[in-house]
């Protein structure tokens, strides 16, 4: 039954794209247990993660490229010598700019990490509550993070507004941004993941939020109530200046390929860079003198990271890059004008001070 459901999901993904939606459409309607659904999800992720590799094998063996054969290869995991970009299932353009040390990160099975609302419950008690529910859990970084069994996604902690599912790298960035001042404008807030994490880590922080998508801001408003967090929402472009402006910009998402392996097959990264530059140029107007502009993307492509910041600084020389100071050196890789956070998803962060 597990293989049959996996085939159905892969078939739908091949027909319509969007792996996550294909799983949402099929898994809840199946009669599978939670553990069986997790097995299906692992098979589906593996197929999408290594699609180019499995394509290569099927072509060499004269096999049809259908869902049944993708699932068979995923379960057998044959080893075949192939070119670098095929072995790791990367688009040619992405393969050219992917450091080998990042390969294991984007091709691994991701951990389930929670962000604990430290304003409502301390982490030790949160771990105890998970363990009472039969969920294995342990401390992770930063101090708001818990690494847990995947069942934690459906735990009472989540239902009661005591935690959210959030990658550890995201939480480290939230800690960094929340440490730079007493007031933050979350400029690309979306549905509020970074805002919730900043409040969890610093409940005295005054948080403002803006996003072009009003529906996401409504979601943030509802999540903030459940989180018991005050947030000042801009439904129109923000006015005024702030000591810290966080720009978690829309991006290619290749840094989150472990969770969303479809990101590995992209080629047009310049379209994201153009949009990111437009957002930075807007957001910089909201930064106070001697305040900070914190630029973040879940990507490592040069077009969206170092090259973009270099171009921005050439046009706005009154912003000065700051050293990324972080206590989690093991998970930090220095880059030009910023650093890469490698605790979970791969993020690039650049902290720019307005002179």
């Amino acid at each position: 039954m597990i293989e049959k459901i996996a085939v159905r999901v892969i078939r739908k993904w091949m027909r319509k794209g969007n792996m996550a939606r294909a799983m949402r459409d099929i898994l809840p309607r199946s009669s599978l247990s939670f553990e069986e659904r997790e097995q299906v999800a692992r098979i589906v992720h593996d197929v999408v993660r290594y699609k180019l590799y499995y394509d290569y094998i099927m072509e060499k063996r004269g096999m049809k490229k259908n869902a049944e054969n993708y699932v068979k290869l995923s379960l057998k995991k044959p080893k075949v010598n192939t070119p670098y970009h095929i072995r790791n299932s990367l688009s040619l353009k992405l393969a050219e700019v992917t450091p080998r040390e990042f390969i294991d990160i984007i091709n691994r099975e991701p951990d389930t990490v929670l962000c604990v609302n430290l304003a409502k419950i301390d982490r030790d008690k949160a771990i105890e509550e998970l363990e009472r529910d039969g969920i294995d859990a342990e401390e992770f970084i930063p101090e708001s993070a818990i690494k847990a069994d995947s069942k934690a996604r459906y735990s009472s902690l989540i239902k009661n507004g005591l935690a959210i599912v959030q990658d550890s790298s995201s939480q480290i960035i939230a800690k960094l941004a929340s440490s730079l001042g007493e007031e933050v404008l979350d400029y690309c807030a979306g549905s509020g993941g970074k805002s919730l994490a900043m409040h969890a880590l610093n409940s005295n922080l005054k948080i403002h939020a803006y996003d072009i998508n009003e529906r996401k801001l409504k979601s943030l408003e509802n999540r903030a109530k459940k989180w018991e967090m005050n947030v000042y929402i801009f439904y129109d472009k923000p006015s005024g200046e702030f000591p810290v402006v966080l720009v978690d910009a829309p991006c290619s998402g290749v840094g989150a390929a472990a969770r969303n392996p479809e990101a590995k097959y992209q080629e047009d990264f310049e379209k994201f860079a153009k949009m990111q530059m437009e957002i930075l140029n807007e957001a910089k107007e909201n930064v106070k003198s001697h305040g900070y502009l914190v630029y973040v993307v879940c990507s490592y492509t040069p077009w969206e990271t170092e090259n973009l910041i270099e171009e921005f600084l050439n046009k706005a020389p009154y912003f000065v890059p700051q050293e990324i100071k972080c206590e989690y050196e093991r998970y930090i890789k220095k880059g030009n004008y910023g650093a890469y956070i490698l605790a979970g998803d791969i993020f690039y962060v650049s902290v720019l001070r307005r002179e």
Side-chain angles (χ1 to χ4, degrees):
M1 180 61 75
I2 290 171
E3 291 180 33
K4 287 182 179 179
I5 298 297
V7 166
R8 285 180 58 197
V9 175
I10 294 298
R11 191 178 290 140
K12 184 161 190 174
W13 170 69
M14 292 174 68
R15 190 170 66 250
K16 295 189 174 182
N18 198 321
M19 177 194 74
R21 184 175 297 168
M23 288 196 290
R24 284 198 304 269
D25 288 348
I26 292 173
L27 287 182
R29 299 175 186 175
S30 72
S31 59
L32 299 180
S33 67
F34 175 84
E35 289 77 11
E36 289 170 331
R37 292 183 191 184
E38 289 287 292
Q39 290 180 57
V40 171
R42 281 194 287 272
I43 293 170
V44 172
H45 273 82
D46 182 79
V47 168
V48 180
R49 185 174 291 129
Y50 291 108
K51 181 181 183 298
L52 296 185
Y53 180 64
Y54 294 145
D55 284 348
Y56 180 90
I57 293 172
M58 284 190 272
E59 288 169 6
K60 289 292 184 181
R61 296 181 179 179
M63 299 167 66
K64 287 185 178 180
K65 291 183 184 178
N66 57 32
E68 289 81 1
N69 283 334
Y70 278 120
V71 171
K72 284 179 183 177
L73 290 175
S74 174
L75 294 172
K76 291 181 179 178
K77 291 185 170 50
K79 293 185 178 180
V80 177
N81 289 327
T82 62
Y84 173 80
H85 80 282
I86 292 176
R87 182 169 67 254
N88 293 293
S89 280
L90 302 169
S91 70
L92 278 170
K93 192 167 185 177
L94 187 59
E96 290 173 359
V97 299
T98 300
R100 289 183 181 266
E101 63 191 292
F102 288 0
I103 289 294
D104 288 342
I105 297 175
I106 64 174
N107 278 343
R108 69 186 174 191
E109 188 172 322
D111 296 315
T112 297
V113 180
L114 304 186
C115 174
V116 177
N117 187 348
L118 298 177
K120 297 174 70 175
I121 185 173
D122 68 47
R123 182 165 63 176
D124 288 343
K125 288 184 178 178
I127 290 174
E128 289 174 7
E129 189 165 322
L130 288 170
E131 290 176 343
R132 279 198 300 271
D133 291 340
I135 298 170
D136 292 333
E138 61 181 337
E139 295 180 356
F140 199 46
I141 58 168
E143 61 269 27
S144 54
I146 293 176
K147 188 185 291 186
D149 184 274
S150 58
K151 288 182 181 179
R153 295 173 177 272
Y154 311 101
S155 65
S156 57
L157 283 179
I158 301 290
K159 294 173 184 175
N160 295 329
L162 299 174
I164 57 172
V165 177
Q166 189 176 62
D167 174 75
S168 187
S169 292
S170 292
Q171 295 183 55
I172 290 173
I173 288 165
K175 181 175 182 177
L176 172 65
S178 65
S179 71
L180 294 172
E182 297 178 352
E183 191 174 9
V184 176
L185 169 61
D186 188 353
Y187 195 84
C188 297
S191 57
K194 296 288 192 307
S195 288
L196 296 180
M198 286 191 289
H199 176 80
L201 288 154
N202 182 359
S203 59
N204 294 319
L205 190 69
K206 189 175 182 180
I207 299 173
H208 305 258
Y210 167 70
D211 196 277
I212 196 171
N213 188 321
E214 187 173 321
R215 180 180 56 80
K216 289 184 177 180
L217 288 177
K218 290 289 186 183
S219 174
L220 166 56
E221 193 172 352
N222 293 330
R223 295 178 82 193
K225 287 177 183 176
K226 189 174 182 180
W227 206 244
E228 296 182 10
M229 172 184 90
N230 290 323
V231 58
Y232 304 85
I233 295 178
F234 288 99
Y235 283 97
D236 296 312
K237 283 193 177 179
S239 58
E241 295 181 338
F242 302 85
V244 183
V245 176
L246 171 63
V247 177
D248 185 4
C251 65
S252 64
V254 297
R259 290 186 290 111
N260 179 24
E262 290 167 296
K264 299 197 299 174
Y265 307 119
Q266 298 177 80
E267 294 276 0
D268 188 5
F269 300 104
E270 289 88 344
K271 71 177 180 183
F272 293 105
K274 181 180 178 182
M275 175 173 53
Q276 290 153 358
M277 184 63 76
E278 290 173 356
I279 293 171
L280 271 180
N281 283 325
E282 291 175 1
K284 76 177 191 291
E285 302 302 325
N286 294 110
V287 182
K288 274 185 176 180
S289 178
H290 306 301
Y292 297 94
L293 178 60
V294 183
Y295 173 74
V296 176
V297 282
C298 189
S299 178
Y300 54 82
T301 73
W303 303 279
E304 302 174 86
T305 59
E306 299 177 14
N307 292 1
L308 182 135
I309 294 300
E310 182 173 27
E311 182 182 347
F312 174 78
L313 293 173
N314 286 337
K315 296 176 181 177
Y318 45 90
F319 280 95
V320 179
Q322 305 295 296
E323 181 183 357
I324 304 297
K325 296 178 181 179
C326 181
E327 60 198 273
Y328 313 112
E329 291 185 6
R330 174 185 170 190
Y331 298 100
I332 306 297
K333 175 181 170 62
K334 289 187 178 180
N336 291 328
Y337 314 112
Y340 298 90
I341 314 296
L342 310 176
D345 293 341
I346 301 172
F347 278 88
Y348 173 80
V349 57
S350 178
V351 177
L352 308 173
R353 187 171 187 265
R354 184 167 191 163
E355 296 299 304

